[in-house]
């Protein structure tokens, strides 16, 4: 049914467009000048006049029909079937199977009756939707043909529709974001305040606790639940790894950007920049096992050489590789903003007798600073949210330490650990993932706000 | 404007007298400039006297800006650009490999077509040159240089209470005067101006022209301009460029009232360009 409906719709939309355009075209005598809108706009107006109602009829009609058909079919069973969700679902499945002819075994009489009722309701309903859609389309074609005239402002009407569509697209993006935030927020609130949840911590215990051990909360008789959900070790672990990553990627990324944009020859730049960008395309899971299998043993070996005790999963290994991951973000974006600094500024500095390095340090970099800061902030956000590398290289042990040679764990790793495998959504352990997610979101948000503030404060106008 | 024209008439007389007597500040001999294979400037030879204004005129693409940029070796920043011939300032060859371009540019300041103040405060813009060349030894020194440069550029009264505000927030004319202040802060001997008024309105242009007239007492100024009126107003000598060659050079009054070359005459009477 859907297929036919949409094919019919496409045909009708096309007809409306062509007929209306032809009609408008006939109004042109001598020149387009007399006609307010070009014939194409009359066509587009008619096409949208067909498209919108037909789509609405389908979008509203089909779910309504489904609901109605289900209610009809369920009326052949007792009231208790309709009220019990589990029973109801099973019955509906049976009915659907029978309608589709895939039911195995002998159906009961009421099931057969219900299936027959559903089948006929659906048939009639579909016919109604189809007929209604086509009728609406024909009416729309008729009306819009009637409106084709020299003075009719088809262009303005159509453009208003375009604006509406653009607005809807923007609204979808914004509403999705808001929806995600609220769903995480809802589960977070449940985690902290749902009285039926056993072993939940208070907000203070969560935010300031120094011990993270959610496994202990699985069994009430084991471990101290009060200290199971201390979030501080995860935060320090996350920040430690992010700090190492930025210490690696910051200078490397920025200096390579300066080299590429200011010193490198055009030929070197032409092949070096794409290669650097390939680095951004390496899947983080690949970087993860590179960290775990190559970098971590290497660091451990060097550590042993200097007499240091390095854990086989260390914050340093994870941070180093994560730093490699974010180099392209910093270098590529910084390179772009450095290139965007107008040549006239450089000329001004050179003409003052500044050397190349003085010009870069004192004129180009300050002018590019807002862009560079936002590149760094983007990279930090990526590092904080990165999961696969830390899962593989940093470990699961929630140590509260600033020693980069020890194993630490991060917020994202714990979310992943909690949510992998079978879940029960009435346990504090599972819901802890949402609380972590919310805090992670909050931390990233704070970084973004800082970045935006810095960018706004130091933005320079040069044109 | 009237006083400007009067002053200018006097100045021309002085310049004409002086031109033959004093040794040239800047002297070019057989200068050729190539952009890759293309020859942009052909055998340009000219002498430019000190303490005066020399203007370069000519249609777009005639090579006048290219020649101007040879005098402080700004063409060095263009990789494909090659300069032959000899340019001297005070008899010193500026293309001598032993000469450091940084020191040259401290002696030859430049003001560009579009005002290009650095995205720094007004104070820092002017202090930039003295800082990189180590001209000041104390904060008080630097303050004095900044103040006197801004005064010479006729900007001090307007900005003295907002020296810490960004230089990019001023009007176009003020920005250009800031760029002039920035250029004279290192006390150069020659100031190059590449169409300094082409992005400005007539009032701002008049202020810059007055300023140029003021500055020529202390500097050798070379200005490229598209406006023949401007050349007539501010300069004592004029050189006309066409298709990469220097066609004619002489006292401004001569060039505008009695040009020797047919091409110069056609250009100043508006037949092409």
């Amino acid at each position: 049914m859907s297929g036919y409906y949409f094919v019919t719709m496409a045909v009708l939309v096309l007809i409306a467009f062509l007929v209306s355009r032809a009609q408008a075209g006939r109004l042109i005598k001598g020149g387009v000048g007399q006609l307010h809108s070009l014939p194409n706009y009359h066509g587009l107006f008619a096409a949208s006049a067909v498209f919108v109602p037909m789509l609405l009829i389908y979008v509203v009609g089909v779910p309504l029909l489904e609901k109605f058909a289900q209610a009809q079919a369920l009326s052949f069973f007792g009231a208790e079937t309709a009220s019990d969700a589990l029973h109801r679902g099973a019955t509906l499945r049976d009915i659907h199977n029978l309608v589709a002819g895939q039911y195995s075994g002998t159906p009961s009489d009421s099931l057969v009756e219900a299936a027959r009722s559903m089948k006929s309701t659906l048939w009639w309903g579909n016919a109604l939707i189809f007929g209604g859609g086509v009728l609406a389309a024909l009416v729309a074609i008729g009306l819009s043909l009637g409106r084709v005239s020299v003075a009719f402002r088809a262009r303005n009407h159509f453009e208003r529709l375009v604006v509406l569509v653009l607005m809807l697209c923007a609204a979808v993006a914004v509403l999705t974001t808001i929806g995600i935030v609220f769903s995480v927020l809802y589960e977070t609130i449940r985690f902290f305040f749902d009285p039926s949840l056993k072993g939940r911590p208070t907000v203070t215990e969560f935010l300031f606790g120094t011990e993270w051990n959610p496994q202990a909360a699985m069994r009430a008789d084991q471990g101290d639940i009060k200290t199971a959900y201390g979030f501080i070790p995860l935060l320090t672990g996350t920040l430690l790894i992010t700090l190492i990553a930025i210490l690696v990627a910051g200078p490397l990324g920025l200096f390579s950007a300066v080299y590429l944009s200011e010193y490198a020859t055009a030929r070197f730049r032409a092949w070096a920049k794409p290669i650097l960008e390939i680095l951004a395309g390496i899947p983080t899971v690949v970087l993860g096992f590179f960290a775990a299998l190559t970098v971590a043993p290497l660091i451990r070996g060097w550590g042993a050489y200097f007499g240091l005790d390095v854990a086989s999963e260390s914050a340093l290994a994870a941070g180093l590789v994560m730093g490699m991951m974010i180099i392209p973000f910093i270098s590529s974006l910084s390179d772009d903003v450095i290139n965007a600094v107008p040549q006239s500024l450089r000329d001004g500095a050179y003409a003052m007798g500044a050397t190349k390095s003085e010009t870069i340090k004192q004129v180009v970099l300050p002018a590019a600073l807002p862009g560079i800061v936002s590149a760094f902030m983007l990279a930090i956000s990526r590092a904080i949210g990165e999961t696969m590398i830390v899962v593989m290289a940093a470990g699961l042990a929630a140590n509260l330490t600033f020693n980069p040679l020890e194993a630490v764990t991060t917020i994202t790793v714990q979310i992943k650990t909690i949510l992998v495998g079978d879940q029960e959504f009435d346990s504090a352990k599972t819901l802890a993932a949402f609380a972590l997610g919310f805090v992670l979101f909050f931390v990233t948000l704070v970084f973004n706000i800082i970045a935006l503030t810095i960018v706004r404060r130091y933005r320079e106008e040069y044109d | 404007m009237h006083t400007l024209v009067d002053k200018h008439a006097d100045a021309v007389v002085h310049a004409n007298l002086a031109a033959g007597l004093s040794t040239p500040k800047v002297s070019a001999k057989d200068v050729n400039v190539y952009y890759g294979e293309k020859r942009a400037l052909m055998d340009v030879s000219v002498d430019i006297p000190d303490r005066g204004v020399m203007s370069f005129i000519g249609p777009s693409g005639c090579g006048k800006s290219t020649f101007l940029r040879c005098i402080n070796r700004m063409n060095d920043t263009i990789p494909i650009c090659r300069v032959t011939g000899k340019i001297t300032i005070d008899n010193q060859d500026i293309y001598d490999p032993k000469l450091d371009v940084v020191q040259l540019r401290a002696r030859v300041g430049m003001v560009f077509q579009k005002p290009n103040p650095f995205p720094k405060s007004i104070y820092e813009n002017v202090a930039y040159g003295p800082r990189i060349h180590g001209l000041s030894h104390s904060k008080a020194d630097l303050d004095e240089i900044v103040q006197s440069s801004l005064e010479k550029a006729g900007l001090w009264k307007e900005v003295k209470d907002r020296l810490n505000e960004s230089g990019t927030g001023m009007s176009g004319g003020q920005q250009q005067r800031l760029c002039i202040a920035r250029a004279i802060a290192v006390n150069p001997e020659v100031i190059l101006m590449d169409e300094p008024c082409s992005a400005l309105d007539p009032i701002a242009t008049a202020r810059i022209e007055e300023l140029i007239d003021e500055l020529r007492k202390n500097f050798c100024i070379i200005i490229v301009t598209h406006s023949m009126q401007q050349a007539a107003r501010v300069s004592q000598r004029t050189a006309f460029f066409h298709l990469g060659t220097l066609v004619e050079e002489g006292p401004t009054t001569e060039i505008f009232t009695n040009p020797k070359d047919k091409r110069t005459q056609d250009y100043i009477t508006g037949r092409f360009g």
Side-chain angles (χ1 to χ4, degrees), chain A residues 344-345 347-355 358-359 362-363 367 460-461 463, chain B residues 74 77 102 105 110 112 114 116-120 128-129 132-133 166 168 182:
Chain A
S344 68
L345 280 185
D347 282 349
Y350 292 143
M352 295 299 301
T355 62
E358 282 168 344
T359 304
Q362 294 158 2
V363 175
E460 296 293 349
E461 279 133 32
D463 41 23
Chain B
M74 277 301 277
T77 60
V102 167
R105 288 180 189 154
M110 185 163 188
F112 293 84
K114 247 173 73 181
N116 57 351
F118 301 134
K120 298 169 182 288
Y128 185 78
I132 59 173
H133 293 296
S166 172
T168 51
R182 183 176 73 184

Side-chain angles (χ1 to χ4, degrees), chain A residues 57-376:
Chain A
I57 286 173
Y58 184 83
V59 169
V60 176
V62 168
L64 273 184
L65 175 64
E66 184 64 30
K67 274 262 186 297
F68 181 68
Q70 282 181 6
Q72 288 277 303
L74 285 174
S75 67
F76 290 93
F77 301 91
E80 73 284 352
T81 312
S83 56
D84 177 22
L86 212 63
H87 203 162
R88 188 168 178 259
T91 315
L92 280 176
R93 227 170 5 255
D94 282 347
I95 296 172
H96 276 293
N97 284 345
L98 200 58
V99 169
Q102 291 166 340
Y103 189 80
S104 52
T106 339
S108 68
D109 283 350
S110 47
L111 201 57
V112 173
E113 282 298 308
R116 189 173 300 148
S117 145
M118 175 167 257
K119 204 169 174 179
S120 80
T121 314
L122 282 179
W123 193 90
W124 280 108
N126 280 334
L128 195 68
I129 291 173
F130 193 84
V134 172
L135 188 69
L138 292 177
V139 169
I141 293 178
L143 284 179
S144 48
L145 270 183
R147 295 190 78 170
V148 172
S149 71
V150 170
F152 180 55
R153 301 181 164 233
R155 171 166 50 79
N156 307 38
H157 288 291
F158 178 70
E159 277 169 1
R160 216 167 297 149
L161 183 77
V162 170
V163 171
L164 201 70
V165 170
L166 296 180
M167 210 173 75
L168 279 177
C169 292
V172 167
V174 171
L175 290 179
T176 311
T177 313
I178 294 176
I180 292 173
V181 171
F182 272 93
S183 86
V184 174
L185 185 64
Y186 174 74
E187 301 293 344
T188 308
I189 289 172
R190 264 191 72 197
F191 175 62
F192 287 124
F193 303 111
D194 189 346
S196 67
L197 209 61
K198 286 194 189 66
R200 68 196 155 82
T202 63
V203 176
T204 334
E205 281 162 0
F206 178 79
L207 284 182
F208 301 107
T210 55
E211 206 175 300
W212 175 265
N213 186 18
Q215 306 301 333
M218 304 257 311
R219 283 165 60 182
D221 57 334
Q222 202 179 57
D224 187 358
I225 293 166
K226 283 290 158 203
T227 62
Y229 294 108
F231 150 82
I232 292 292
L234 307 191
L235 184 68
T236 55
T238 304
L239 293 183
L240 177 64
I241 290 181
T242 305
L243 182 71
I244 295 171
I246 276 300
L247 286 179
V248 172
L252 282 180
L254 186 57
F255 293 160
S256 63
V258 168
Y259 178 72
L260 282 182
S261 57
E262 296 287 327
Y263 290 99
T265 59
R267 273 177 59 199
F268 179 75
R269 189 181 144 82
W271 63 263
K273 207 178 170 194
I275 288 181
L276 206 58
E277 274 158 11
I278 287 177
L279 192 56
I282 296 178
T284 55
V285 66
V286 175
L287 289 173
F289 67 68
F290 174 66
L293 301 181
T294 312
V295 178
L298 213 63
I299 292 174
R300 199 175 150 76
W302 286 342
Y305 187 74
F306 289 110
L308 292 169
D309 186 22
V310 183
S312 57
E313 289 176 321
S314 65
L316 188 60
L320 284 178
V321 175
M322 200 191 276
M324 284 187 45
M325 177 193 87
I326 57 177
I327 285 174
F329 288 97
I330 293 182
S331 72
S332 195
L333 288 173
S334 303
D335 184 52
D336 289 345
V337 292
I338 289 173
N339 273 323
V341 173
Q343 183 62 30
S344 68
L345 280 185
R346 293 189 186 87
D347 282 349
Y350 292 143
M352 295 299 301
T355 62
K356 192 148 192 160
S357 70
E358 282 168 344
T359 304
I360 293 167
K361 267 185 303 197
Q362 294 158 2
V363 175
V364 176
L365 288 184
L369 188 68
I372 293 173
V373 169
S374 51
F376 269 71

Side-chain angles (χ1 to χ4, degrees), chain B residues 178-195:
Chain B
L178 178 63
C179 291
I180 293 174
R182 183 176 73 184
I184 57 186
V186 291
N187 204 16
E189 297 155 37
V190 181
I191 300 176
L192 311 176
M193 297 189 175
D194 192 355
E195 299 181 39

